[in-house]
Amino acid sequence: MHYAAARESGDADRFDAVSVEGSVLSVCGLGVEIDDRLGALNIGARVAIDRQGAPLVAETVGLKPGSAICLPFGAMTGVRRGARARFLIGRTSVRPSHAWLGRVVNGLAEPIDGLGSLPPGERLMPLRARPIPPPMRARLGPRLDFRIKALDAFAMAREGQRLGIFSASGLGKSTLLAMIAANADCDVAVVALIGERGREVREFIEDSLGASGLKRSVVVAATSDEPALMRREAAFLAMTAAEYFRDRGLRVLCVLDSLTRVASAQREIGLAAGEPPTLKGYTPSVFSLLPTLLERAGPGFEGGGTVTGVFSVLVEGDDHDEPIADAARATLDGHIVLDRRIAERGRYPAVDILKSLSRAMSGAATPEEGEIVARARRHASVFEDMREMIRIGAYRSGASAEVDAAIEVNRRLEEFLNQGAHETCAAKETMRTLSALLAEVDRS
């Protein structure tokens, strides 16, 4: 079939490699302009640019009359004007398999752990897959046990839910994500480390996941020094890998750290493609990319597996109303907020139980558990209202039975919620302990 006819019929993505070539017209900033007078390239198509050593793979992000703007997946060192650019049609798909478990790959699904190549799976899966149509998607599954007391008590989640962890820098966000990835009750964990420092990747794998956690995990890593395209692609690859295991009936946990760095990568790509900057310099494509990525997490078809998504959002300057945080909250099914004041008091995870919310909590908790959590929140709310007066000594013990109870509950809650990075607690045990804590305060 002629390529142009194949493209019009929608069959072009079934081809492996088509012998269509162009050449480098110019290199400017982050982008490479490729001659494409035939109009063979479309948005997302990849090219291999000849240079000394290995060819440089790039992806089409913009189109001009007679040319295309491509961004590379690697350093542009060695690229020259007039260099041959081979068009790679049908290369935006991957073949995941169970052999990926226990492995670390980059955004191009290439192993970077030194353990050899990965055998290709039988099924070809597109990186830009559409979410399952809403009427055909199953409902959320049963309660998910994180084995983290603050989450299992005050942000109960169900299998297939999408949660966001909103935090400024230095509050233990990555540690909390590592605890979730290592301890949550799931069959497979897919962990995407986007824009992390290079040293943190190995520390996460060896110290946080450990050998047992890595056996059930796929780690996709794109560090901060890699091109924007590689960082963005790592997020889509992680979601595609999660969908592969979900389609095999497994309960999958997809942890992505962080969504903000994916948005920043897309901002770089959009600016290089000529998009106008909008809020805080983010381009319009950023706000269309986020729901496209996030909506792919969730339950599969009825009777199948699920993808539970946990996505971190790095808020700048403790501003929880910045554009990416706002856009994420609109799509996610719940949010966990880390608070600097709690971290400064030395309680970790520094989860603010009053600001954290799970939209599926009513379906996850029993009526008795819901009442226990509501009582604990009421005590915490009373204490928060009186915190400043208590701190400066303006409140006298005995003036209000409600405030006295709130002070005692808060003291015990702080001890109860404090949890070490390698400490676990089953959800049922968490609720029994919380219920007993409240009962002791009531008796006193």
Side-chain angles (χ1 to χ4, degrees), residues 62-118:
L63 300 173
K64 292 183 177 182
S67 66
I69 304 299
C70 301
L71 291 187
F73 284 97
M76 288 194 287
T77 306
V79 175
R80 60 178 179 80
R81 187 165 55 86
R84 184 175 67 162
R86 290 175 289 113
F87 300 172
L88 307 177
I89 309 302
R91 297 296 179 88
T92 54
S93 302
V94 291
R95 294 182 181 271
S97 72
H98 276 72
W100 286 29
L101 292 175
R103 301 298 301 272
V104 185
V105 300
N106 64 13
L108 294 177
E110 299 167 342
I112 56 175
D113 52 9
L115 298 179
S117 60
L118 286 169

CSV table of all heavy atoms in Angstrom, one decimal, residues 62-118:
chain,number,residue,atom,x,y,z
A,62,GLY,N,5.7,19.7,15.7
A,62,GLY,CA,5.1,20.8,14.9
A,62,GLY,C,5.3,20.6,13.4
A,62,GLY,O,6.2,20.0,13.0
A,63,LEU,N,4.4,21.2,12.7
A,63,LEU,CA,4.4,21.1,11.2
A,63,LEU,C,4.4,22.5,10.6
A,63,LEU,O,3.7,23.4,11.0
A,63,LEU,CB,3.2,20.3,10.7
A,63,LEU,CG,3.1,18.8,11.2
A,63,LEU,CD1,1.8,18.2,10.7
A,63,LEU,CD2,4.3,18.0,10.7
A,64,LYS,N,5.2,22.6,9.5
A,64,LYS,CA,5.3,23.9,8.7
A,64,LYS,C,5.1,23.5,7.3
A,64,LYS,O,5.2,22.3,6.9
A,64,LYS,CB,6.6,24.6,8.9
A,64,LYS,CG,6.8,25.2,10.3
A,64,LYS,CD,8.2,25.9,10.3
A,64,LYS,CE,8.4,26.6,11.6
A,64,LYS,NZ,9.7,27.4,11.6
A,65,PRO,N,4.8,24.4,6.4
A,65,PRO,CA,4.7,24.1,4.9
A,65,PRO,C,6.1,23.5,4.4
A,65,PRO,O,7.1,24.2,4.5
A,65,PRO,CB,4.4,25.4,4.3
A,65,PRO,CG,3.7,26.2,5.3
A,65,PRO,CD,4.4,25.8,6.6
A,66,GLY,N,6.1,22.3,4.1
A,66,GLY,CA,7.3,21.7,3.6
A,66,GLY,C,8.3,21.2,4.6
A,66,GLY,O,9.4,20.7,4.2
A,67,SER,N,8.0,21.3,5.9
A,67,SER,CA,9.0,20.9,6.9
A,67,SER,C,8.3,20.6,8.2
A,67,SER,O,7.1,20.8,8.3
A,67,SER,CB,10.0,22.0,7.1
A,67,SER,OG,9.4,23.1,7.7
A,68,ALA,N,9.0,19.9,9.1
A,68,ALA,CA,8.5,19.5,10.4
A,68,ALA,C,9.5,19.9,11.5
A,68,ALA,O,10.7,19.9,11.3
A,68,ALA,CB,8.2,18.0,10.4
A,69,ILE,N,8.9,20.3,12.6
A,69,ILE,CA,9.8,20.6,13.8
A,69,ILE,C,9.8,19.3,14.7
A,69,ILE,O,8.8,18.8,15.1
A,69,ILE,CB,9.2,21.8,14.6
A,69,ILE,CG1,9.1,23.0,13.7
A,69,ILE,CG2,10.1,22.1,15.8
A,69,ILE,CD1,10.4,23.5,13.1
A,70,CYS,N,11.0,18.9,15.0
A,70,CYS,CA,11.2,17.7,15.8
A,70,CYS,C,12.1,18.0,17.0
A,70,CYS,O,13.0,18.8,16.9
A,70,CYS,CB,11.9,16.6,14.9
A,70,CYS,SG,10.9,16.1,13.5
A,71,LEU,N,11.7,17.3,18.1
A,71,LEU,CA,12.5,17.4,19.3
A,71,LEU,C,13.2,16.1,19.6
A,71,LEU,O,12.6,15.0,19.4
A,71,LEU,CB,11.6,17.8,20.5
A,71,LEU,CG,11.0,19.2,20.5
A,71,LEU,CD1,10.4,19.5,21.8
A,71,LEU,CD2,12.1,20.3,20.3
A,72,PRO,N,14.5,16.1,20.0
A,72,PRO,CA,15.2,14.9,20.1
A,72,PRO,C,15.0,14.2,21.5
A,72,PRO,O,14.7,14.9,22.5
A,72,PRO,CB,16.7,15.3,20.0
A,72,PRO,CG,16.6,16.7,20.5
A,72,PRO,CD,15.3,17.3,20.2
A,73,PHE,N,15.3,12.9,21.5
A,73,PHE,CA,15.3,12.2,22.8
A,73,PHE,C,16.7,12.1,23.4
A,73,PHE,O,16.8,11.5,24.5
A,73,PHE,CB,14.8,10.7,22.5
A,73,PHE,CG,13.3,10.6,22.3
A,73,PHE,CD1,12.8,10.6,21.0
A,73,PHE,CD2,12.5,10.5,23.4
A,73,PHE,CE1,11.5,10.4,20.8
A,73,PHE,CE2,11.1,10.4,23.2
A,73,PHE,CZ,10.6,10.4,21.9
A,74,GLY,N,17.6,12.8,22.8
A,74,GLY,CA,19.0,12.8,23.4
A,74,GLY,C,19.7,14.1,23.0
A,74,GLY,O,19.1,15.0,22.5
A,75,ALA,N,21.0,14.2,23.3
A,75,ALA,CA,21.7,15.4,23.1
A,75,ALA,C,21.9,15.5,21.6
A,75,ALA,O,22.1,14.6,20.8
A,75,ALA,CB,23.1,15.3,23.8
A,76,MET,N,21.9,16.8,21.1
A,76,MET,CA,22.0,17.1,19.7
A,76,MET,C,23.5,17.2,19.2
A,76,MET,O,23.7,17.6,18.1
A,76,MET,CB,21.2,18.3,19.3
A,76,MET,CG,19.7,18.1,19.4
A,76,MET,SD,18.8,19.4,18.6
A,76,MET,CE,19.0,20.7,19.7
A,77,THR,N,24.4,16.8,20.0
A,77,THR,CA,25.8,16.9,19.7
A,77,THR,C,26.0,16.0,18.4
A,77,THR,O,25.7,14.9,18.4
A,77,THR,CB,26.7,16.4,20.8
A,77,THR,OG1,26.4,17.1,22.0
A,77,THR,CG2,28.1,16.5,20.5
A,78,GLY,N,26.7,16.6,17.4
A,78,GLY,CA,27.0,15.9,16.2
A,78,GLY,C,26.0,16.0,15.1
A,78,GLY,O,26.2,15.6,13.9
A,79,VAL,N,24.8,16.7,15.3
A,79,VAL,CA,23.8,16.9,14.3
A,79,VAL,C,24.3,18.0,13.4
A,79,VAL,O,24.7,19.1,13.9
A,79,VAL,CB,22.4,17.2,14.9
A,79,VAL,CG1,21.4,17.5,13.8
A,79,VAL,CG2,22.0,16.0,15.7
A,80,ARG,N,24.2,17.9,12.1
A,80,ARG,CA,24.7,18.9,11.2
A,80,ARG,C,23.6,19.2,10.1
A,80,ARG,O,22.7,18.4,9.9
A,80,ARG,CB,25.9,18.5,10.4
A,80,ARG,CG,25.8,17.2,9.6
A,80,ARG,CD,27.1,16.9,8.9
A,80,ARG,NE,26.9,15.7,8.1
A,80,ARG,CZ,26.3,15.6,6.9
A,80,ARG,NH1,25.8,16.7,6.3
A,80,ARG,NH2,26.2,14.4,6.3
A,81,ARG,N,23.6,20.4,9.6
A,81,ARG,CA,22.6,20.7,8.5
A,81,ARG,C,22.9,19.8,7.3
A,81,ARG,O,24.0,19.6,6.9
A,81,ARG,CB,22.8,22.2,8.1
A,81,ARG,CG,21.8,22.7,7.2
A,81,ARG,CD,21.8,24.3,7.1
A,81,ARG,NE,23.1,24.8,6.8
A,81,ARG,CZ,23.5,24.9,5.6
A,81,ARG,NH1,22.8,24.6,4.5
A,81,ARG,NH2,24.8,25.4,5.3
A,82,GLY,N,21.8,19.3,6.7
A,82,GLY,CA,21.9,18.4,5.6
A,82,GLY,C,22.0,17.0,5.9
A,82,GLY,O,21.9,16.1,5.0
A,83,ALA,N,22.0,16.6,7.2
A,83,ALA,CA,22.1,15.2,7.6
A,83,ALA,C,20.8,14.5,7.3
A,83,ALA,O,19.7,15.1,7.3
A,83,ALA,CB,22.3,15.2,9.1
A,84,ARG,N,21.0,13.2,6.9
A,84,ARG,CA,19.8,12.5,6.5
A,84,ARG,C,18.9,12.2,7.7
A,84,ARG,O,19.4,11.9,8.8
A,84,ARG,CB,20.3,11.1,5.9
A,84,ARG,CG,19.1,10.3,5.4
A,84,ARG,CD,19.7,9.0,4.7
A,84,ARG,NE,20.3,8.1,5.6
A,84,ARG,CZ,20.5,6.8,5.4
A,84,ARG,NH1,20.2,6.3,4.2
A,84,ARG,NH2,21.1,6.1,6.3
A,85,ALA,N,17.6,12.2,7.5
A,85,ALA,CA,16.7,11.9,8.5
A,85,ALA,C,15.7,10.9,8.0
A,85,ALA,O,14.9,11.2,7.1
A,85,ALA,CB,15.9,13.2,9.0
A,86,ARG,N,15.7,9.7,8.6
A,86,ARG,CA,14.9,8.6,8.1
A,86,ARG,C,13.6,8.7,8.9
A,86,ARG,O,13.6,8.8,10.2
A,86,ARG,CB,15.6,7.3,8.3
A,86,ARG,CG,16.7,7.1,7.3
A,86,ARG,CD,17.5,5.8,7.6
A,86,ARG,NE,18.3,5.9,8.8
A,86,ARG,CZ,18.0,5.2,9.9
A,86,ARG,NH1,17.0,4.4,10.0
A,86,ARG,NH2,18.8,5.3,11.0
A,87,PHE,N,12.4,8.6,8.2
A,87,PHE,CA,11.1,8.7,8.9
A,87,PHE,C,10.8,7.3,9.4
A,87,PHE,O,10.7,6.3,8.6
A,87,PHE,CB,10.1,9.2,8.0
A,87,PHE,CG,10.3,10.6,7.4
A,87,PHE,CD1,9.5,11.1,6.4
A,87,PHE,CD2,11.4,11.3,7.9
A,87,PHE,CE1,9.8,12.4,5.9
A,87,PHE,CE2,11.6,12.6,7.4
A,87,PHE,CZ,10.8,13.1,6.4
A,88,LEU,N,10.5,7.2,10.7
A,88,LEU,CA,10.1,5.9,11.3
A,88,LEU,C,8.6,5.9,11.5
A,88,LEU,O,8.1,6.5,12.5
A,88,LEU,CB,10.9,5.7,12.6
A,88,LEU,CG,12.4,5.9,12.6
A,88,LEU,CD1,13.0,5.7,14.0
A,88,LEU,CD2,13.0,4.8,11.6
A,89,ILE,N,7.9,5.2,10.7
A,89,ILE,CA,6.5,5.1,10.8
A,89,ILE,C,6.1,3.9,11.6
A,89,ILE,O,6.6,2.8,11.4
A,89,ILE,CB,5.8,5.0,9.4
A,89,ILE,CG1,6.4,6.1,8.5
A,89,ILE,CG2,4.3,5.1,9.5
A,89,ILE,CD1,6.2,7.5,8.9
A,90,GLY,N,5.2,4.1,12.5
A,90,GLY,CA,4.7,3.0,13.4
A,90,GLY,C,5.6,2.7,14.5
A,90,GLY,O,5.6,1.6,15.1
A,91,ARG,N,6.4,3.6,15.0
A,91,ARG,CA,7.4,3.4,16.1
A,91,ARG,C,6.9,4.0,17.4
A,91,ARG,O,7.7,4.1,18.3
A,91,ARG,CB,8.8,3.9,15.7
A,91,ARG,CG,9.4,3.2,14.5
A,91,ARG,CD,9.6,1.7,14.8
A,91,ARG,NE,10.2,1.0,13.6
A,91,ARG,CZ,11.5,1.0,13.3
A,91,ARG,NH1,12.4,1.5,14.1
A,91,ARG,NH2,11.9,0.3,12.3
A,92,THR,N,5.7,4.4,17.5
A,92,THR,CA,5.2,5.0,18.7
A,92,THR,C,4.4,4.0,19.5
A,92,THR,O,3.4,4.3,20.2
A,92,THR,CB,4.3,6.2,18.4
A,92,THR,OG1,3.3,5.9,17.5
A,92,THR,CG2,5.2,7.3,17.8
A,93,SER,N,4.8,2.7,19.4
A,93,SER,CA,4.2,1.6,20.2
A,93,SER,C,5.3,0.8,20.9
A,93,SER,O,6.4,0.9,20.5
A,93,SER,CB,3.3,0.7,19.3
A,93,SER,OG,2.3,1.5,18.6
A,94,VAL,N,4.9,0.1,21.9
A,94,VAL,CA,5.8,-0.8,22.6
A,94,VAL,C,5.2,-2.1,22.8
A,94,VAL,O,4.0,-2.3,22.6
A,94,VAL,CB,6.2,-0.2,24.0
A,94,VAL,CG1,7.0,1.1,23.8
A,94,VAL,CG2,4.9,0.1,24.8
A,95,ARG,N,6.0,-3.1,23.2
A,95,ARG,CA,5.5,-4.5,23.4
A,95,ARG,C,5.9,-4.9,24.9
A,95,ARG,O,6.9,-5.5,25.1
A,95,ARG,CB,6.2,-5.4,22.4
A,95,ARG,CG,5.8,-5.2,21.0
A,95,ARG,CD,6.4,-6.3,20.1
A,95,ARG,NE,6.0,-6.1,18.7
A,95,ARG,CZ,5.0,-6.7,18.1
A,95,ARG,NH1,4.2,-7.4,18.8
A,95,ARG,NH2,4.7,-6.5,16.8
A,96,PRO,N,5.1,-4.5,25.8
A,96,PRO,CA,5.4,-4.8,27.2
A,96,PRO,C,5.2,-6.3,27.4
A,96,PRO,O,4.5,-7.0,26.7
A,96,PRO,CB,4.4,-4.0,28.0
A,96,PRO,CG,3.8,-3.0,27.1
A,96,PRO,CD,3.9,-3.6,25.7
A,97,SER,N,5.8,-6.8,28.5
A,97,SER,CA,5.7,-8.2,28.8
A,97,SER,C,6.0,-8.4,30.3
A,97,SER,O,6.4,-7.4,31.0
A,97,SER,CB,6.6,-9.1,28.0
A,97,SER,OG,8.0,-8.9,28.5
A,98,HIS,N,5.7,-9.6,30.9
A,98,HIS,CA,6.0,-9.8,32.3
A,98,HIS,C,7.5,-9.8,32.6
A,98,HIS,O,7.9,-9.7,33.7
A,98,HIS,CB,5.4,-11.2,32.7
A,98,HIS,CG,3.9,-11.1,33.0
A,98,HIS,ND1,2.9,-10.9,32.1
A,98,HIS,CD2,3.3,-11.2,34.2
A,98,HIS,CE1,1.7,-10.9,32.7
A,98,HIS,NE2,1.9,-11.0,34.0
A,99,ALA,N,8.3,-9.9,31.5
A,99,ALA,CA,9.7,-9.8,31.7
A,99,ALA,C,10.2,-8.4,32.2
A,99,ALA,O,11.3,-8.3,32.6
A,99,ALA,CB,10.5,-10.2,30.4
A,100,TRP,N,9.3,-7.4,32.1
A,100,TRP,CA,9.6,-6.1,32.5
A,100,TRP,C,9.6,-6.0,34.1
A,100,TRP,O,10.2,-5.1,34.6
A,100,TRP,CB,8.6,-5.1,32.0
A,100,TRP,CG,8.7,-4.8,30.5
A,100,TRP,CD1,9.2,-5.6,29.6
A,100,TRP,CD2,8.4,-3.6,29.9
A,100,TRP,NE1,9.2,-5.0,28.4
A,100,TRP,CE2,8.7,-3.7,28.5
A,100,TRP,CE3,7.8,-2.4,30.3
A,100,TRP,CZ2,8.4,-2.7,27.6
A,100,TRP,CZ3,7.5,-1.4,29.4
A,100,TRP,CH2,7.9,-1.5,28.0
A,101,LEU,N,9.0,-7.0,34.7
A,101,LEU,CA,8.9,-6.9,36.2
A,101,LEU,C,10.4,-7.1,36.8
A,101,LEU,O,11.1,-7.9,36.3
A,101,LEU,CB,8.1,-8.0,36.7
A,101,LEU,CG,6.6,-7.9,36.5
A,101,LEU,CD1,5.8,-9.1,36.9
A,101,LEU,CD2,6.0,-6.6,37.1
A,102,GLY,N,10.7,-6.2,37.7
A,102,GLY,CA,12.0,-6.2,38.3
A,102,GLY,C,13.1,-5.5,37.5
A,102,GLY,O,14.2,-5.5,37.8
A,103,ARG,N,12.6,-4.7,36.5
A,103,ARG,CA,13.6,-4.1,35.6
A,103,ARG,C,13.4,-2.5,35.7
A,103,ARG,O,12.3,-2.0,36.1
A,103,ARG,CB,13.4,-4.5,34.1
A,103,ARG,CG,13.6,-6.0,33.9
A,103,ARG,CD,15.0,-6.5,34.3
A,103,ARG,NE,16.0,-5.8,33.5
A,103,ARG,CZ,16.5,-6.2,32.3
A,103,ARG,NH1,16.0,-7.3,31.8
A,103,ARG,NH2,17.4,-5.5,31.7
A,104,VAL,N,14.4,-1.8,35.2
A,104,VAL,CA,14.4,-0.4,35.2
A,104,VAL,C,14.7,0.0,33.7
A,104,VAL,O,15.7,-0.4,33.1
A,104,VAL,CB,15.5,0.3,36.1
A,104,VAL,CG1,15.4,1.8,36.1
A,104,VAL,CG2,15.4,-0.3,37.5
A,105,VAL,N,13.7,0.8,33.2
A,105,VAL,CA,13.8,1.2,31.8
A,105,VAL,C,13.8,2.8,31.7
A,105,VAL,O,13.3,3.4,32.6
A,105,VAL,CB,12.7,0.6,30.9
A,105,VAL,CG1,12.8,-0.9,31.0
A,105,VAL,CG2,11.3,1.1,31.4
A,106,ASN,N,14.2,3.3,30.5
A,106,ASN,CA,14.0,4.7,30.3
A,106,ASN,C,12.7,5.0,29.5
A,106,ASN,O,11.9,4.1,29.3
A,106,ASN,CB,15.3,5.3,29.5
A,106,ASN,CG,15.4,4.7,28.1
A,106,ASN,OD1,14.5,4.0,27.6
A,106,ASN,ND2,16.6,4.9,27.5
A,107,GLY,N,12.6,6.2,29.0
A,107,GLY,CA,11.3,6.6,28.4
A,107,GLY,C,11.1,5.9,27.0
A,107,GLY,O,10.0,6.0,26.5
A,108,LEU,N,12.2,5.3,26.5
A,108,LEU,CA,12.0,4.6,25.2
A,108,LEU,C,11.9,3.1,25.4
A,108,LEU,O,12.1,2.3,24.5
A,108,LEU,CB,13.2,4.9,24.3
A,108,LEU,CG,13.3,6.4,23.8
A,108,LEU,CD1,14.6,6.6,23.0
A,108,LEU,CD2,12.1,6.8,23.0
A,109,ALA,N,11.7,2.7,26.6
A,109,ALA,CA,11.5,1.3,27.0
A,109,ALA,C,12.9,0.5,26.8
A,109,ALA,O,12.9,-0.7,26.6
A,109,ALA,CB,10.4,0.6,26.2
A,110,GLU,N,14.0,1.2,26.9
A,110,GLU,CA,15.3,0.6,26.8
A,110,GLU,C,15.8,0.4,28.2
A,110,GLU,O,15.8,1.3,29.1
A,110,GLU,CB,16.3,1.5,26.1
A,110,GLU,CG,15.9,1.8,24.7
A,110,GLU,CD,16.7,3.0,24.0
A,110,GLU,OE1,17.3,3.8,24.8
A,110,GLU,OE2,16.6,3.1,22.8
A,111,PRO,N,16.2,-0.9,28.6
A,111,PRO,CA,16.7,-1.1,29.9
A,111,PRO,C,18.0,-0.3,30.3
A,111,PRO,O,18.9,-0.2,29.4
A,111,PRO,CB,17.0,-2.7,29.9
A,111,PRO,CG,17.2,-3.0,28.4
A,111,PRO,CD,16.3,-2.0,27.7
A,112,ILE,N,18.0,0.2,31.5
A,112,ILE,CA,19.1,1.0,31.9
A,112,ILE,C,19.7,0.4,33.2
A,112,ILE,O,20.5,1.1,33.9
A,112,ILE,CB,18.8,2.5,32.1
A,112,ILE,CG1,17.6,2.6,33.1
A,112,ILE,CG2,18.4,3.1,30.7
A,112,ILE,CD1,17.2,4.1,33.4
A,113,ASP,N,19.4,-0.8,33.5
A,113,ASP,CA,19.8,-1.4,34.8
A,113,ASP,C,21.0,-2.3,34.6
A,113,ASP,O,21.5,-3.0,35.5
A,113,ASP,CB,18.7,-2.1,35.5
A,113,ASP,CG,18.0,-3.1,34.5
A,113,ASP,OD1,18.5,-3.4,33.4
A,113,ASP,OD2,16.9,-3.7,34.9
A,114,GLY,N,21.5,-2.4,33.3
A,114,GLY,CA,22.7,-3.3,33.1
A,114,GLY,C,22.4,-4.8,33.1
A,114,GLY,O,23.3,-5.6,33.2
A,115,LEU,N,21.1,-5.2,33.1
A,115,LEU,CA,20.8,-6.6,33.2
A,115,LEU,C,20.4,-7.2,31.8
A,115,LEU,O,19.8,-8.3,31.7
A,115,LEU,CB,19.6,-6.8,34.1
A,115,LEU,CG,19.8,-6.3,35.6
A,115,LEU,CD1,18.6,-6.5,36.4
A,115,LEU,CD2,21.0,-7.1,36.2
A,116,GLY,N,20.8,-6.5,30.7
A,116,GLY,CA,20.6,-7.1,29.4
A,116,GLY,C,19.3,-6.6,28.8
A,116,GLY,O,18.5,-5.8,29.4
A,117,SER,N,19.1,-7.0,27.6
A,117,SER,CA,17.9,-6.6,26.8
A,117,SER,C,16.6,-7.2,27.3
A,117,SER,O,16.6,-8.2,28.0
A,117,SER,CB,18.1,-6.9,25.3
A,117,SER,OG,18.2,-8.3,25.1
A,118,LEU,N,15.5,-6.6,26.9
A,118,LEU,CA,14.2,-7.1,27.3
A,118,LEU,C,13.5,-7.8,26.1
A,118,LEU,O,13.5,-7.3,25.0
A,118,LEU,CB,13.3,-6.0,27.7
A,118,LEU,CG,13.6,-5.4,29.1
A,118,LEU,CD1,12.8,-4.1,29.3
A,118,LEU,CD2,13.2,-6.3,30.2
